[in-house]
Amino acid sequence: MLEPNNSRLSHPFCLVVVLCILSPVVVVGDESVGLNQPATVAEDSPAGQLGKQPGVQVSVSDFHGFVQHEFEVGGVACKLVSPATSAENAPWIWRARFWGHEPQLDVALLKQGWHVCYCDVADLFGNETALKRWNQFYKFSQQIGLHPKPLLEGMSRGGLIVMRWASANPSKVSGIYVDNAVMDIRSWPGGKGDGIGAPRAWKTCLDAYQLTEEQTEAIDDGPLHRLDQLAKVGVPIFAMINEADNVVPPSENSDLLVRRYREHGGPIQELRRPGLGHHPHSLKDPATLVKFAVDSIAKQ
């Protein structure tokens, strides 16, 4: 499984327009940055609050016509993309991995007043360090005024962190969107079932969890082992499933999620796509996903 090449998504001005936020009101002077943004950022908005956080240095670039704020929380790279006008209570979608890849849902939600956020957990495969990073970012998100219940977005290996963090924090999640997502490290990158596996990533994964290959045979704390807590509070899940996926086989991942979550009484939708492999992710027209996101936050 390779990291997608996002170079084609970069805006030609991203490399030259880098501004530091030095005050709670940010003036974006170049029209190429934040084409869908107002000229100033409201002081009481999440983006405005970024400038008030002690020790936080922020640079600004473009994300499909919206202002992308890049900064660190506890030494970890993070991003916040803000809408032109925030919807009530500042709802947000939390992208787990592959920033900018197939961004249709993210962009569509930005147009509806949502924020899009990211906290780097690359090469951690949803382990305890990843959970701590997300805990820290979630606390930060509340300090800057984002909605208390984000929608989690987990493509591919991003499923590991979104499901494990949500299971540990079921009251802090409005909904979960998983897209051809990994639910068991033994399936991917381990390749211990029908999938092709990824030997180099498997070694990195074992190191991240501090496990031997033999010890993984008895894993009992993966994304599929805490579903009862999510079902208990009724967290809705939307599962995108490409049925011919031989990288993250549905039979070892998404199919198990759907079946077990329903057994626990949890609400889960599935969109199955026969004949498609691990790619493509998302939908060209993300209307179905947008509806899931909007419906999920409306119930909070």
Side-chain angles (χ1 to χ4, degrees), residues 69-86:
H69 313 268
E70 301 178 33
F71 52 97
E72 292 187 354
V73 175
V76 177
C78 301
K79 303 178 193 293
L80 166 74
V81 182
S82 54
T85 302
S86 178

Side-chain angles (χ1 to χ4, degrees), residues 6-300:
N6 296 324
S7 60
R8 69 183 188 280
L9 299 173
S10 300
H11 193 282
F13 292 90
C14 286
L15 297 178
V16 296
V17 182
V18 181
L19 306 176
C20 290
I21 297 180
L22 301 177
S23 67
V25 177
V26 183
V27 178
V28 182
D30 192 319
E31 293 182 356
S32 65
V33 177
L35 299 178
N36 293 317
Q37 294 287 75
T40 60
V41 175
E43 182 177 346
D44 61 352
S45 69
Q49 290 297 310
L50 276 175
K52 293 184 176 181
Q53 305 308 305
V56 176
Q57 298 294 318
V58 185
S59 62
V60 180
S61 58
D62 175 79
F63 183 86
H64 299 275
F66 295 89
V67 174
Q68 175 174 292
H69 313 268
E70 301 178 33
F71 52 97
E72 292 187 354
V73 175
V76 177
C78 301
K79 303 178 193 293
L80 166 74
V81 182
S82 54
T85 302
S86 178
E88 184 178 4
N89 297 322
W92 55 298
I93 183 168
W94 194 346
R95 168 71 81 112
R97 293 284 279 108
F98 307 118
W99 179 256
H101 181 63
E102 300 288 3
Q104 297 91 298
L105 174 59
D106 300 342
V107 173
L109 289 175
L110 281 164
K111 291 177 180 178
Q112 294 205 17
W114 286 50
H115 294 73
V116 182
C117 295
Y118 174 84
C119 173
D120 185 26
V121 290
D123 294 331
L124 296 177
F125 301 88
N127 69 0
E128 293 303 312
T129 299
L131 295 180
K132 289 177 181 177
R133 287 187 183 184
W134 270 38
N135 285 339
Q136 189 173 37
F137 184 84
Y138 177 81
K139 181 179 179 180
F140 184 84
S141 77
Q142 300 309 286
Q143 293 171 355
I144 62 175
L146 288 169
H147 195 286
K149 292 190 176 185
L151 182 88
L152 307 185
E153 179 181 15
M155 285 185 181
S156 193
R157 72 188 77 175
L160 293 169
I161 179 62
V162 299
M163 292 303 300
R164 293 199 78 227
W165 191 84
S167 297
N169 300 275
S171 64
K172 299 175 181 177
V173 180
S174 65
I176 305 169
Y177 158 50
V178 285
D179 186 324
N180 299 319
V182 179
M183 294 290 133
D184 188 333
I185 61 172
R186 292 169 297 192
S187 175
W188 190 93
K192 301 305 177 185
D194 294 331
I196 60 177
R200 290 179 62 183
W202 181 228
K203 182 180 184 306
T204 302
C205 180
L206 293 176
D207 290 343
Y209 278 93
Q210 297 185 339
L211 293 172
T212 66
E213 191 158 346
E214 293 72 23
Q215 287 173 325
T216 64
E217 296 176 4
I219 287 176
D220 61 359
D221 193 24
L224 298 173
H225 294 98
R226 297 185 187 177
L227 297 178
D228 57 329
Q229 297 303 311
L230 288 170
K232 185 176 180 180
V233 298
V235 174
I237 299 177
F238 188 106
M240 182 85 70
I241 305 171
N242 289 358
E243 293 186 335
D245 188 344
N246 68 341
V247 176
V248 183
S251 61
E252 300 165 5
N253 296 277
S254 296
D255 289 348
L256 294 180
L257 170 65
V258 171
R259 186 179 78 243
R260 293 183 186 180
Y261 202 54
R262 285 180 177 154
E263 289 173 351
H264 285 296
I268 185 166
Q269 302 177 47
E270 54 184 311
L271 196 164
R272 309 185 71 90
R273 303 194 289 187
L276 293 182
H278 190 59
H279 294 277
H281 293 288
S282 192
L283 297 169
K284 290 183 178 179
D285 178 358
T288 300
L289 302 175
V290 171
K291 184 178 186 304
F292 171 73
V294 172
D295 288 350
S296 297
I297 206 74
K299 296 176 181 177
Q300 306 309 314

